[in-house]
Structure formats: structure tokens, C-alpha cells
Amino acid sequence: MTQELNNLKLKIVQVGDPVLRAKARPLSNAEILSPEIQSLILQMKNTMHDAPGVGLAAPQVGLPLQLIVIEDREEFIKLLPPDEAQAKDRRAVKLHVLINPQITLVDPENSAEFYEGCLSVTGLLGSVARAKTVKVDALNEEGKPVHIEAHGWYARILQHEIDHLHGILCIDHMNTRTLATIENYRRFRPDIT
Ligand code: ZN
């Protein structure tokens, strides 16, 4: 029974759902270790894999909790032309969980602009400037403190996912004139000059 619950995939809510604009609340250590949250973490991992995506925040499955799962798989990066992976400073990131994260943008002026999408804004992409380097302090799924210093695409994922916990979506940062359907993005590749 537990195994079945853990294999559940959750519904990803779409832009316009108020939960995506709510402030998520932190989790206590007792909550983190509870069977409910441990099961939610497994379900969020399954949901992210199934989507597929490189990150998923609890508000995206309808729960205003400060909980994120992230994984950028080698197989995703292999699909990119090598110069694109290099330009985006994108490397594989192992599956991990971040709870109650605090983020610091290191030198916010030192930013990179790339097309970005969101599992809660299905089918659309747009150009978003993000700091190239961030530091994050959070708890892991055991309630233990973790400190991360991230660069490039991983720093972008962290900014995107932690924004979700504050009711902020990538479209809020987007240069809206660059908004494109995924189909048109692939067709016209506006980021390749
Ligand atoms: Zn998102």
C-alpha cells in the first residue's frame, strides 16, 4: 500500500490557480520526518520524472509548502548541442530535495539571459535574465542543513523553483516580447543568432 502511494503521480496545477501566487509556509523538522511529507517527496520526484522536468515546487502540486525537488539529468543535457550546453553552463545535477530554502543572488548584475519554461505554464517559453551565481541554505529531506553554491543553469533552476515558494512565476521576470510557444521556439530558435 505504501509503495503504491509512493508511486503516485500528482497533478501539476496551471497558471491562474491561486496556489501558485500564495506564499508557501516553512516545514518544521517534525513535519519533514513525518510519513506524509516523506511520501509527498517521493510523489513529487515521480511527478517531476514523469513530466519530465528539472525541478518541481510543492505549490505546483497544489500545496503551499516550502519544499522543492530538483534533478537535471545527463540524458537531458545530451540532447542539447554541446555549444548550447556550454553557453548555458549546464551540467548534470543529482536528484535532491530542498526545504525552507533561503537564496542569495551573488552579484545580481552578473546575469545571463536564456529562454525558460515552467511545468505550470504549459507550452510557452520566454527569455528570462537570472543571476549566474547563487547561494542557498536549506534543509534536506532528513531535516539536516545543506549549503549550496551554484552557477549557470543550476543557479537558474534554483532561482526559478525558490520563486515558486514566494508566489512568483518565471513570466513575472520574462521579457514578454520574447514569449513563444514551444513549437515556435523550436522552429525559429530566437536565441540562436
Ligand atoms: Zn516553474
Side-chain angles (χ1 to χ4, degrees):
M1 183 62 185
T2 310
Q3 195 55 42
E4 279 171 29
L5 281 176
N6 291 345
N7 288 335
L8 270 181
K9 290 178 194 93
L10 305 165
K11 181 171 177 251
I12 299 177
V13 302
Q14 292 299 308
V15 64
D17 190 313
V19 73
L20 292 172
R21 294 306 190 175
K23 268 207 159 288
R25 72 163 177 87
L27 291 171
S28 69
N29 259 50
E31 284 179 306
I32 294 168
L33 299 174
S34 71
E36 290 79 11
I37 293 295
Q38 291 295 316
S39 183
L40 173 63
I41 289 169
L42 290 171
Q43 292 173 8
M44 283 176 62
K45 287 175 179 175
N46 290 335
T47 306
M48 175 175 68
H49 284 168
D50 187 60
V54 296
L56 187 69
Q60 294 184 274
V61 294
L63 299 168
L65 304 173
Q66 292 190 17
L67 168 61
I68 290 167
V69 294
I70 289 176
E71 180 182 32
D72 199 0
R73 295 199 209 182
E74 194 72 56
E75 65 198 70
F76 297 150
I77 296 161
K78 279 192 183 138
L79 294 174
L80 299 174
D83 55 342
E84 189 178 332
Q86 198 172 13
K88 290 180 171 174
D89 192 8
R90 187 167 170 177
R91 287 173 296 262
V93 177
K94 283 202 179 84
L95 178 63
H96 62 294
V97 177
L98 296 175
I99 296 164
N100 307 343
Q102 300 287 330
I103 189 166
T104 307
L105 308 185
V106 179
D107 189 7
E109 299 301 310
N110 184 17
S111 63
E113 199 168 331
F114 289 108
Y115 275 71
E116 186 176 309
C118 177
L119 294 172
S120 295
V121 188
T122 298
L124 296 171
L125 296 172
S127 191
V128 179
R130 300 268 191 197
K132 287 184 181 173
T133 306
V134 299
K135 290 180 179 175
V136 173
D137 285 292
L139 300 176
N140 66 14
E141 68 270 42
E142 295 170 355
K144 301 218 168 91
V146 288
H147 177 77
I148 297 167
E149 182 159 347
H151 309 275
W153 202 257
Y154 181 30
R156 176 172 296 267
I157 297 169
L158 286 164
Q159 288 169 81
H160 178 118
E161 298 306 331
I162 293 171
D163 270 352
H164 273 300
L165 306 182
H166 299 279
I168 297 167
L169 299 174
C170 59
I171 47 177
D172 304 342
H173 298 297
M174 204 169 267
N175 172 356
T176 50
R177 287 183 59 85
T178 65
L179 188 66
T181 62
I182 289 175
E183 189 184 36
N184 278 340
Y185 171 77
R186 291 196 178 126
R187 185 171 165 204
F188 298 110
R189 287 314 303 260
D191 53 346
I192 305 290
T193 51

